Amino acid sequence: MYRIVTQEKLVPNIYILKIEAPEVVRKIQPGQFAMVRIDERGERIPLTIADWDRKEGIVTIIFLEVGATTHKLAQLKAGDSVVNFVGPLGLPAEIEKFGRVVCAGGCYGIGAILPEIRALKEKGNEVISIIEARHKSLLYWQDRLGQFSDQVIVTTGDGSSGYKGWAPDQLKEMLEGGKKIDRVFAHGCTFMTMLCSEVTKPFGVKTMVSLNPIMVDGTGMCGCCRVSVGGQTKLACVDGPEFDGHEVDWDLLVNRQRAYLDEEQESSSRLSF
Amino acid sequence: MTEKKKINLNRVPIPKQEPLIRRGNFNEVALGYAEEQAIEEASRCIQCKKAGCKEGCPVNVDIPEFIKAIGDHDMPEAVRILKSKNSLPGICGRVCPQEIQCEMTCNLAKRGAPIAIGRLERYVADWERAHPCHSEPFASCHSEGAKRPKNLAQDRLREESHAAQGKLREESRGAQDISKDKKVAVVGSGPAGLTCAADLAKLGYQVTILEALHVAGGVLMYGIPEFRLPKHIVQGEIDYVKSLGVEIKLDHVIGKIATVDEILEDGYNAVFLAPGAGAPMFLNIPDENLSNIYSANEFLTRTNLMKAYLFPEYDTPIKVGRKVAVFGGGNVAMDSSRCALRLGAEEVYIIYRRSRVEMPARREESENAEEEGIIFKLLTNPKRFIGDEQGRVKAVECYEMELGEPDESGRRRPIPKPGTEFIIEIDTAIVALGTRPNPIIPSTTKGLELTRWGTIKTDEATGRTSKEKVWCGGDMATGAATVISAMGAGKRAAADIDAYLQRKS
């Protein structure tokens, strides 16, 4: 059992969860994830690790309430427990001194990209963070990201804060304006990471995207999370979760993510939310 | 003159669920012998002086002796004999390929049906589970594990085990005291890990199993279905291993949460690697990543471990549809096809590129599958998958094969017959071609030599790897194999770890 230290709603549908996992915390690197199972009948779901405190043994997760399991997770309170918390899984992000780096985060990815921003800054990169949301009420952590970024650019779909538009639009504007960017990292929904990859491709700026296919074990055993990268089948759980966005077969990823939509609906309707 | 006893050349049949009934449920197919049936079968044993069966057993169970005890109606004695060599008899009695091991070398096999050793082994294990307080202080009586009171039977068991290790430990009587402060980590709680852990615990070592998944048991839990190996049986055997004092830590993916070197730095004196051959193999044909194409590992894990057959009471879903194709001819292919049937599929095909003779599955299992209505498409190979507009598989194109000259495996090589392409419409495909080694441990452990197949280079007799203090066994050492061969490897490694730690003290 892994005890929940705090659980709160950051913005509508996005939650921050701090969980006691003293053994897991020791080796976490930016870009890694954990597999979580809530109760004895629960499924195993992957969640990106957004922060950690090695001294206190606490791991921070930011997640979007999107289906039955994350709905149940969102109902838990401080003092409750989840039955399994496995990690740190996946390969760490490739963090080097690249020069000028853009980190794009949307949705839960605003939180999930923090470890990379911090590590990139520590390596001496110039870090420009771009965050996106539909409306300003869905933005969070600007200050935290700002601590490790040279610049934080805010975009909202409705223009209620910062630039009107989305993170890929800003990225595109920068590149078209002649700004030299050496590397891009993107965390968030598949559509957003795909668009980031699309806008950087003509400029040849390598763009690392954190993919989120469905997983079962998360340790390379089942092959559920297979993705096609550069024409080769890879397992996101052990070969990723970060891949070169210019090489990813996005249609395949989206199709496989939708494989259980009917079942997801059935589960959600049982929980009536 | 003594009257020569006439040997019965036919074995006592084992009761089974009827095919039409069992294909609709996940309950165990074979129901096991009743006491009188077990005794009758045991009485067929001629108690050979030179017992071929014993040599055929990878863990050298004293087979004639335990069968004699059954014939004598002395079940506690049968349990004792069996468990002194085999910590997991309820499992082995069900899933060992006895027909190519102990039963193949049974002297009766030359004239008729060999003794049904597996069924008798299962009978003894099940008897013990039903009578926990009459034999060893095993799980159901003393689930508190290490807190159980010591008793004579337990001590006898330890002594037996010591005797078995005798040649490796000549001077050994004071050994237990030395063992007590030595710690061994076992990575993986499948058959190799459980066996190694049990043997070392019996010798007095402090053993910790580190298991990646959220339950112990490895392939016994996620792979082999309930109808062939009920999970409460596996749980009972795991509880027994725990009762020997073995600690099991779940959720521990070694290579991630800690490396092998960190385990050694953490005060463990030896590490036995038995993580299984985790990574699934695929067909490498076009459009294999369409939705609803599963590896057997995924299909079986969703079904057995995550209980997808109870969706939505359990959260993990699974897609089966009406028509299912399973690719491969091994036990895993049989298990997958029979699970698909029980999950509601109407037509389930086994698609295998060679003929029935070359099929690696146990005959009993392929017969069970056929009785249940699985359709065998032999000498057939898939060419490509075909998807619908939403990226879901809707058909597979196959072609016919014929058999040519034997290849390096000794089996006749399948050769495609040109122009024989045909299409089978399917809703789900399951690829059961076997597994290759999971890269996590090899890629995070320095000084571990690998073979060209990516398995860990391991001395077969001792389980030693190229890295000091590190042993390996099971599928990670040999590639995909059987439960019992993994157990044999666990046993040999335990003996060698013991010898090594004795020398070191």
Side-chain angles (χ1 to χ4, degrees):
Chain A
M1 298 290 261
Y2 302 80
R3 201 174 67 91
I4 292 168
V5 184
T6 60
Q7 157 89 301
E8 47 185 293
K9 189 188 276 191
L10 273 176
V11 293
N13 290 334
I14 295 180
Y15 293 77
I16 179 167
L17 176 72
K18 294 189 177 186
I19 197 159
E20 260 176 19
E23 287 192 81
V24 175
V25 85
R26 292 187 297 202
K27 292 184 65 89
I28 300 173
Q29 298 295 315
Q32 291 189 296
F33 66 94
M35 294 300 292
V36 180
R37 198 171 69 114
I38 296 177
D39 55 40
E40 286 306 332
R41 294 184 169 197
E43 61 180 341
R44 295 167 65 103
I45 59 162
L47 294 172
T48 310
I49 296 170
D51 203 0
W52 57 89
D53 182 334
R54 292 202 216 274
K55 218 168 69 199
E56 299 293 322
I58 290 167
V59 182
T60 301
I61 298 278
I62 288 179
F63 67 94
L64 173 73
E65 181 184 348
V66 67
T69 295
T70 46
H71 174 71
K72 281 196 238 172
L73 193 57
Q75 309 307 307
L76 298 180
K77 298 185 177 53
D80 291 342
S81 300
V82 294
V83 285
N84 303 100
F85 188 83
V86 189
L89 298 173
L91 297 177
E94 186 194 351
I95 305 285
E96 280 171 28
K97 174 145 188 192
F98 299 109
R100 182 183 289 144
V101 181
V102 170
C103 292
C107 187
Y108 71 90
I110 297 175
I113 203 165
L114 172 82
E116 280 162 38
I117 292 175
R118 189 166 54 199
L120 288 161
K121 189 68 204 159
E122 278 167 15
K123 280 272 180 196
N125 291 288
E126 180 190 341
V127 180
I128 301 171
S129 300
I130 310 178
I131 58 175
E132 65 164 39
R134 205 161 17 93
H135 181 260
K136 67 176 179 188
S137 62
L138 299 169
L139 291 166
Y140 60 95
W141 272 23
Q142 288 109 300
D143 298 351
R144 294 211 62 187
L145 267 47
Q147 280 175 37
F148 309 101
S149 308
D150 293 271
Q151 190 189 354
V152 179
I153 300 171
V154 174
T155 67
T156 49
D158 62 0
S160 52
S161 176
Y163 290 90
K164 185 170 191 296
W166 304 93
D169 303 332
Q170 275 303 304
L171 189 54
K172 191 174 179 190
E173 212 167 281
M174 274 185 207
L175 289 163
E176 284 176 347
K179 194 155 189 152
K180 186 175 170 293
I181 299 171
D182 300 295
R183 184 64 67 106
V184 173
F185 289 83
H187 275 255
C189 71
T190 302
F191 190 60
M192 177 265 195
T193 53
M194 180 185 79
L195 289 182
C196 286
S197 307
E198 275 180 7
V199 300
T200 56
K201 197 167 184 179
F203 296 90
V205 179
K206 192 163 181 180
T207 300
M208 297 305 289
V209 290
S210 181
L211 301 186
N212 39 20
I214 299 170
M215 294 185 184
V216 182
D217 65 293
T219 66
M221 190 186 88
C222 81
C224 178
C225 65
R226 57 196 196 272
V227 291
S228 177
V229 182
Q232 296 214 319
T233 296
K234 301 274 181 191
L235 302 187
C237 65
V238 287
D239 303 321
E242 293 199 1
F243 294 100
D244 182 342
H246 299 159
E247 304 279 328
V248 170
D249 181 339
W250 295 96
D251 290 341
L252 177 74
L253 176 67
V254 171
N255 281 337
R256 289 187 65 83
Q257 283 172 332
R258 290 164 173 258
Y260 295 95
L261 275 188
D262 297 345
E263 287 78 7
E264 191 58 57
Q265 256 167 20
E266 187 179 347
S267 290
S268 297
S269 66
R270 280 164 64 91
L271 295 169
S272 61
F273 68 95
Chain B
M1 230 174 80
T2 54
E3 194 188 335
K4 200 162 182 189
K5 194 178 148 197
K6 193 163 182 288
I7 301 166
N8 183 352
L9 290 175
N10 296 311
R11 46 171 64 179
V12 178
I14 193 163
K16 282 185 188 177
Q17 277 198 74
E18 287 302 321
L20 285 177
I21 293 175
R22 72 188 190 229
R23 59 176 278 172
N25 68 58
F26 272 87
N27 301 333
E28 195 170 14
V29 167
L31 303 171
Y33 281 151
E35 182 170 358
E36 58 275 17
Q37 291 170 313
I39 291 168
E40 189 188 338
E41 180 63 21
S43 70
R44 293 176 58 225
C45 177
I46 53 174
Q47 294 288 316
C48 309
K49 288 245 160 41
K50 191 177 172 321
C53 52
K54 219 187 270 194
E55 285 156 30
C57 173
V59 296
N60 304 111
V61 167
D62 296 314
I63 294 167
E65 288 82 352
F66 97 76
I67 291 179
K68 180 169 186 305
I70 298 174
D72 293 344
H73 300 226
D74 188 354
M75 300 311 163
E77 177 66 2
V79 171
R80 192 193 62 77
I81 295 168
L82 195 51
K83 280 208 148 169
S84 71
K85 292 285 175 63
N86 184 345
S87 298
L88 316 170
I91 294 168
C92 289
R94 287 173 167 82
V95 302
C96 264
Q98 290 99 6
E99 64 279 4
I100 55 164
Q101 295 175 347
C102 54
E103 292 177 8
M104 190 172 77
T105 46
C106 170
N107 280 323
L108 286 186
K110 292 170 196 154
R111 297 166 51 196
I115 299 288
I117 299 168
R119 296 173 184 177
L120 291 174
E121 181 179 28
R122 169 189 165 153
Y123 173 76
V124 173
D126 290 356
W127 183 90
E128 191 215 350
R129 205 175 322 282
H131 304 81
C133 298
H134 290 92
S135 58
E136 308 287 347
F138 294 145
S140 11
C141 244
H142 301 277
S143 50
E144 305 299 304
K147 272 188 244 162
R148 81 206 177 314
K150 278 200 151 197
N151 75 7
L152 265 178
Q154 186 67 22
D155 286 347
R156 261 165 82 192
L157 195 69
R158 273 179 190 245
E159 289 303 316
E160 278 272 339
S161 199
H162 272 291
Q165 314 282 352
K167 61 178 187 296
L168 289 160
R169 187 193 273 181
E170 313 276 328
E171 71 290 289
S172 102
R173 277 314 78 170
Q176 269 202 20
D177 296 323
I178 299 164
S179 313
K180 287 228 165 80
D181 55 0
K182 293 269 173 74
K183 286 166 58 179
V184 182
V186 171
V187 178
S189 62
L194 286 174
T195 304
C196 183
D199 278 19
L200 287 168
K202 286 176 189 171
L203 288 166
Y205 294 98
Q206 294 177 44
V207 186
T208 305
I209 294 182
L210 304 163
E211 165 58 46
L213 287 172
H214 58 266
V215 297
V219 71
L220 307 170
M221 289 301 286
Y222 74 73
I224 305 176
E226 178 78 17
F227 57 80
R228 204 149 72 80
L229 179 63
K231 299 308 146 210
H232 75 272
I233 303 277
V234 180
Q235 206 46 60
E237 311 266 35
I238 291 168
D239 287 342
Y240 163 64
V241 174
K242 282 192 199 165
S243 79
L244 299 169
V246 173
E247 181 193 14
I248 302 183
K249 287 188 176 180
L250 304 172
D251 297 343
H252 275 61
V253 182
I254 297 311
K256 294 292 182 187
I257 197 167
T259 62
V260 172
D261 285 300
E262 284 163 339
I263 295 171
L264 289 167
E265 284 159 23
D266 211 26
Y268 287 93
N269 304 91
V271 178
F272 177 59
L273 299 175
M281 295 211 279
F282 286 96
L283 291 154
N284 293 319
I285 59 173
D287 286 327
E288 197 170 8
N289 292 332
L290 289 167
S291 298
N292 305 341
I293 301 179
Y294 293 95
S295 74
N297 263 6
E298 181 184 353
F299 193 81
L300 293 173
T301 299
R302 284 181 181 268
T303 309
N304 302 322
L305 183 72
M306 306 310 296
K307 304 230 182 305
Y309 61 93
L310 298 173
F311 180 86
E313 273 72 40
Y314 280 70
D315 293 341
T316 304
I318 195 162
K319 292 278 195 187
V320 181
R322 282 182 50 240
K323 296 175 89 174
V324 178
V326 179
F327 301 91
N331 288 324
V332 175
M334 300 305 140
D335 286 347
S336 304
S337 67
R338 297 168 73 197
C339 279
L341 201 65
R342 284 158 172 77
L343 284 159
E346 290 162 23
E347 274 174 45
V348 182
Y349 298 97
I350 289 266
I351 295 176
Y352 180 56
R353 62 192 182 134
R354 303 187 207 236
S355 74
R356 194 68 176 250
V357 192
E358 290 84 15
M359 223 179 210
R362 294 184 68 189
R363 216 174 96 189
E364 188 183 344
E365 299 309 330
S366 58
E367 281 171 5
N368 278 338
E370 199 158 35
E371 278 174 20
E372 289 167 14
I374 305 291
I375 304 156
F376 285 72
K377 288 237 175 248
L378 303 173
L379 291 165
T380 304
N381 213 25
K383 186 177 176 186
R384 65 180 176 118
F385 288 105
I386 301 163
D388 67 11
E389 61 289 344
Q390 281 157 313
R392 296 177 301 212
V393 68
K394 66 171 188 184
V396 57
E397 185 176 349
C398 298
Y399 51 90
E400 292 173 17
M401 309 287 280
E402 59 193 345
L403 292 178
E405 294 301 307
D407 62 13
E408 63 274 16
S409 76
R411 296 178 298 179
R412 293 177 63 193
R413 185 190 301 275
I415 304 164
K417 278 161 78 172
T420 57
E421 284 83 352
F422 65 101
I423 285 176
I424 307 177
E425 284 180 20
I426 53 171
D427 302 300
T428 299
I430 304 167
V431 180
L433 296 185
T435 55
R436 51 195 169 75
N438 186 302
I440 295 180
I441 289 176
S443 67
T444 54
T445 311
K446 283 186 214 98
L448 211 49
E449 256 182 76
L450 304 180
T451 66
R452 63 194 172 98
W453 299 280
T455 51
I456 294 173
K457 211 172 199 176
T458 304
D459 176 56
E460 207 195 320
T462 60
R464 269 182 234 176
T465 69
S466 58
K467 190 175 171 72
E468 167 135 45
K469 300 186 184 179
V470 179
W471 284 255
C472 179
D475 285 0
M476 188 45 126
T478 58
T482 60
V483 168
I484 188 71
S485 69
M487 289 177 57
K491 252 189 141 47
R492 292 190 297 276
D496 197 62
I497 289 169
D498 177 45
Y500 170 86
L501 293 178
Q502 292 297 319
R503 275 201 307 277
K504 285 278 156 181
S505 55

